[in-house]
C-alpha cells in the first residue's frame, strides 16, 4: 500500500496555526516583501535545513541547494539563482555551506558509483584530484572525508567569485561577500573555513591560505 501523505497537510495546518499564534502579522509581512541579506548555497541533504541552522525565519535567507553544494559555470540553475540574489534581491552575503559526512563528497572521494549522479560528482572529483597528494597523507578515512568536504566548500567559493555576476557586481561597487562554511551534523554547529572574499583576487588568495591550514 502506498504511504499516505495526508499527515503533511496536517503538519502544515498545525505550523500555520502556530505561526499565527506566535506572530499574528507574520504572513502579512511575508507576502509584502522578500528582502533577504543572505544567499545560502548548500547541499540537498535533508538533514541540512538552511533557515533552522542559522536561526532565520522564512523570507530572511534565499536558498539554492544541490548534491554536494557545487557551483559550476555551466549550471544555469545555480547561475540564475546567484544572479537573482545579487541583482534583484541585493544580498550582502553568499554562504557556500558544505557539511561533514556529505554522501556526495564521499562518493566522489572514493569513486563510488551512483549512476547518473556520477556525472555531477565529477566536479567534486576535480577538487579531489587537485588535492590528491594532501588527501593521501591523511590516514583516517573519516578525517580525510572531513578535509575533502572543507576543500570542496572553499573551492566552490572561488567558482562563485569567478562568475560574471559577481565580477560585474564588484566592478560597480556592490558590497557582496562570499563565505565558505562547513556544517557538522554531530553538534549542529557551523565552522567558518576562513574564506570571506570581496573580490576574485581575494578569493584566490584566501583559498590558497585555507588549503594550507586545513589540508
Amino acid at each position: 500500500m502506498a504511504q499516505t501523505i495526508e499527515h503533511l497537510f496536517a503538519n502544515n495546518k498545525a505550523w500555520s496555526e502556530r505561526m499565527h499564534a506566535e506572530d499574528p502579522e507574520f504572513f502579512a509581512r511575508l507576502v509584502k516583501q522578500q528582502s533577504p541579506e543572505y544567499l545560502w548555497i548548500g547541499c540537498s541533504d535533508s538533514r541540512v535545513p538552511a533557515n533552522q541552522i542559522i536561526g532565520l525565519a522564512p523570507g530572511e535567507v534565499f536558498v539554492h541547494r544541490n548534491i554536494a553544494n557545487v557551483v559550476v559555470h555551466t549550471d544555469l540553475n545555480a547561475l540564475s539563482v546567484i544572479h537573482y540574489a545579487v541583482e534583484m534581491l541585493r544580498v550582502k552575503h553568499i554562504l557556500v555551506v558544505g557539511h561533514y559526512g556529505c554522501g556526495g563528497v564521499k562518493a566522489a572521494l572514493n569513486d563510488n558509483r551512483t549512476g547518473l549522479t556520477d556525472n555531477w560528482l565529477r566536479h567534486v572529483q576535480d577538487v579531489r584530484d587537485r588535492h590528491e597528494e594532501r588527501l593521501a597523507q591523511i590516514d583516517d578515512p573519516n578525517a580525510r572525508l572531513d578535509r575533502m568536504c572543507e576543500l570542496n566548500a572553499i573551492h566552490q567559493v572561488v567558482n562563485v567569485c569567478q562568475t560574471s555576476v559577481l565580477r560585474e557586481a564588484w566592478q560597480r561597487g556592490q558590497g557582496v561577500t562570499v563565505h565558505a562554511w562547513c556544517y557538522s551534523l554531530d553538534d549542529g554547529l557551523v565552522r567558518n573555513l576562513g574564506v570571506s572574499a570581496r573580490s576574485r583576487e581575494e578569493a584566490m588568495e584566501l583559498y590558497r591560505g585555507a588549503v594550507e591550514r586545513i589540508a
Side-chain angles (χ1 to χ4, degrees):
M1 179 182 295
Q3 184 179 6
T4 178
I5 61 170
E6 291 304 313
H7 67 287
L8 299 181
F9 292 101
N11 290 350
N12 170 249
K13 186 173 185 295
W15 173 77
S16 175
E17 291 173 349
R18 186 172 68 253
M19 294 305 297
H20 275 294
E22 293 174 0
D23 182 358
E25 300 301 318
F26 174 77
F27 290 106
R29 290 197 309 272
L30 206 58
V31 166
K32 291 178 182 177
Q33 186 174 8
Q34 176 182 216
S35 55
E37 294 188 4
Y38 312 96
L39 166 61
W40 172 290
I41 300 176
C43 183
S44 297
D45 192 302
S46 61
R47 301 167 296 174
V48 189
N51 288 71
Q52 290 92 326
I53 287 172
I54 51 179
L56 294 180
E60 293 184 333
V61 56
F62 200 55
V63 177
H64 176 73
R65 299 170 68 175
N66 60 45
I67 295 174
N69 44 276
V70 172
V71 177
V72 292
H73 305 301
T74 55
D75 181 5
L76 293 180
N77 186 354
L79 294 177
S80 296
V81 170
I82 294 169
H83 176 267
Y84 191 86
V86 173
E87 296 277 351
M88 308 301 172
L89 299 177
R90 313 291 285 187
V91 299
K92 296 180 174 62
H93 301 275
I94 298 176
L95 316 171
V96 180
V97 188
H99 69 99
Y100 298 109
C102 177
V105 173
K106 184 177 182 179
L109 177 63
N110 297 324
D111 281 316
N112 297 336
R113 296 299 302 274
T114 60
L116 179 64
T117 315
D118 292 341
N119 300 281
W120 179 254
L121 294 178
R122 180 63 247 179
H123 300 297
V124 181
Q125 289 179 322
D126 290 341
V127 179
R128 177 202 63 184
D129 295 347
R130 185 170 184 172
H131 301 286
E132 184 175 8
E133 290 185 9
R134 292 178 181 274
L135 292 166
Q137 295 172 8
I138 305 173
D139 294 327
D140 180 76
N142 292 323
R144 191 184 310 120
L145 176 57
D146 285 349
R147 297 295 82 72
M148 183 62 205
C149 291
E150 293 173 343
L151 289 167
N152 183 54
I154 64 173
H155 188 88
Q156 305 312 322
V157 164
V158 173
N159 285 351
V160 172
C161 292
Q162 290 177 333
T163 63
S164 59
V165 176
L166 267 298
R167 290 162 60 187
E168 290 169 6
W170 285 324
Q171 188 174 28
R172 62 176 176 265
Q174 187 172 340
V176 186
T177 307
V178 188
H179 310 267
W181 290 0
C182 208
Y183 171 70
S184 173
L185 295 168
D186 290 331
D187 58 16
L189 296 177
V190 169
R191 270 69 171 176
N192 184 347
L193 300 181
V195 177
S196 293
R198 299 171 184 83
S199 70
R200 181 174 53 166
E201 294 75 20
E202 185 178 23
M204 291 302 303
E205 181 179 349
L206 293 172
Y207 172 82
R208 288 188 288 268
V211 167
E212 293 298 326
R213 284 196 309 276
I214 70 176

